[in-house]
Amino acid sequence: MSKPGQRVLSSLRQMILSGELKAGERIAEIPTAEALGVSRTPIRIAFRTLEQEGLLIKLERRGYRVREVTNDEVCDSVEVRGVLEGLAARQAAEKGVTEKQKQELQTCLELGGSLFAKGYVTEEDLETYHDLNKRFHSLIIEASNNSTIAAALNRNEHMPFASVSSLAIDRHDLPREYRRFNFAHMQHHAAFDAITHGQGARAEAIMREHANATLRYTDLFCAQPTDKNIIRVIGGAD
C-alpha cells in the first residue's frame, strides 16, 4: 500500500477507535473521501482492509457499517497473537537465526532507533516505523521455520487489531505516540537480544508481553481511560 493509502487507513482506524465514527454508523466512499481530502481509490482500498480486519461490515447495498468492537474481543485476539509470536520467537532462538536474518533484524533496530533518537516523532516517522515493525515481526516468524505459525497468524489477523499492521496514529497527541512506539521499539531490542543468544524462554516471554503492551499499559500512553465495554486504545503498536 502506498504511503498516502496507509495514512488514510490509519486515519480511519483512529476515527473508529476514538468514536468519531460510531459503532453502527453507515459510511460511504464519496463523503469519506471528501472529509479526508483524498480520491475515492484509497478510501475504497481502506474500506476493504478494515472489513478484513473486522472493523467494518459491508452492507448489501452500497457502503459499510462500523462494527462494534468490544474490549474482550480485542484482548482475546491480541492474546492469541502474543502466544503465536512468542512461540515463533522461542523456536527462532532454539533453532538459531541465519546471519542474513540477524543482519536484517539489526537493520530494523538501527533504522527504528534513528527515528526515535531525536526525542520526538512525526507522522512520517511513524509511517516509516510501521514498515520496519512489520518487517521485524515477519523476520521472527520466518526464522521460526514453522509454517503453521504463519498460517495461524494469517487467520487471526481477521480479528480486530490482531494484525501487527493495524497501525492507528493519534495525530493530536504525537508526544504520547512517541512514548508508545519508542517503548515498543525497546521491546524489539530485548527480543533480538534473547533470540540471538539462544534464550528461547526469555524470547517467548518478551514477545508475548510485547503483543499485550498496548492493551495492558494503556495508562502509560493514554490521557483518557478506556470505556468499560468498547475498546479505545490504539492497536498495532508493537
Side-chain angles (χ1 to χ4, degrees):
M1 182 180 295
S2 66
K3 291 294 182 182
Q6 182 62 50
R7 189 170 300 177
V8 167
L9 180 58
S10 175
S11 296
L12 288 172
R13 285 198 194 100
Q14 179 62 21
M15 291 169 72
I16 293 171
L17 287 168
S18 68
E20 185 176 348
L21 291 174
K22 301 182 184 303
E25 182 177 343
R26 182 183 178 277
I27 58 175
E29 289 180 13
I30 295 177
T32 305
E34 291 175 349
L36 296 181
V38 297
S39 69
R40 294 175 62 182
T41 299
I43 297 296
R44 186 179 304 115
I45 295 172
F47 280 1
R48 290 172 182 168
T49 301
L50 293 172
E51 180 190 11
Q52 293 172 351
E53 293 178 2
L55 292 178
L56 295 180
I57 298 173
K58 187 173 179 58
L59 301 175
E60 291 185 8
R61 297 182 178 180
R62 291 184 178 181
Y64 291 80
R65 177 167 56 83
V66 178
R67 182 173 175 271
E68 181 178 273
V69 181
T70 67
N71 186 75
D72 286 345
E73 187 175 20
V74 173
C75 287
D76 288 347
S77 60
V78 171
E79 182 74 21
V80 169
R81 176 160 67 86
V83 170
L84 291 170
E85 291 193 326
L87 175 60
R90 176 169 66 80
Q91 293 189 340
E94 292 173 349
K95 295 175 182 178
V97 297
T98 66
E99 187 60 32
K100 183 176 183 295
Q101 289 167 339
K102 181 177 179 180
Q103 290 177 356
E104 288 195 53
L105 287 166
Q106 184 69 54
T107 297
C108 289
L109 295 178
E110 291 172 354
L111 292 175
S114 68
L115 296 176
F116 300 110
K118 59 184 179 294
Y120 65 91
V121 289
T122 64
E123 291 181 38
E124 291 74 18
D125 289 335
L126 294 180
E127 289 164 3
T128 298
Y129 184 73
H130 168 268
D131 296 336
L132 293 174
N133 180 60
K134 185 176 180 180
R135 180 57 181 156
F136 185 87
H137 282 252
S138 67
L139 282 167
I140 292 177
I141 304 305
E142 175 187 310
S144 73
N145 287 312
N146 188 330
S147 60
T148 302
I149 293 177
L153 280 168
N154 185 59
R155 288 193 294 272
N156 191 55
E157 285 182 355
H158 295 290
M159 299 299 293
F161 300 105
S163 172
V164 71
S165 297
S166 297
L167 176 67
I169 300 170
D170 186 349
R171 293 169 172 78
H172 302 294
D173 196 348
L174 288 177
R176 181 187 69 184
E177 298 299 73
Y178 170 82
R179 295 192 299 272
R180 185 166 69 97
F181 285 94
N182 188 47
F183 179 81
H185 186 62
M186 291 302 100
Q187 289 183 315
H188 282 182
H189 276 277
F192 174 79
D193 182 74
I195 290 170
T196 55
H197 284 86
Q199 300 169 338
R202 177 174 169 239
E204 180 173 18
I206 291 170
M207 288 304 290
R208 290 189 66 166
E209 181 68 11
H210 183 52
N212 283 279
T214 301
L215 297 179
R216 308 305 180 196
Y217 303 155
T218 304
D219 291 342
L220 290 178
F221 312 119
C222 301
Q224 300 297 324
T226 56
D227 184 273
K228 185 170 69 172
N229 297 313
I230 305 300
I231 195 74
R232 293 297 184 223
V233 299
I234 303 175
D238 45 278

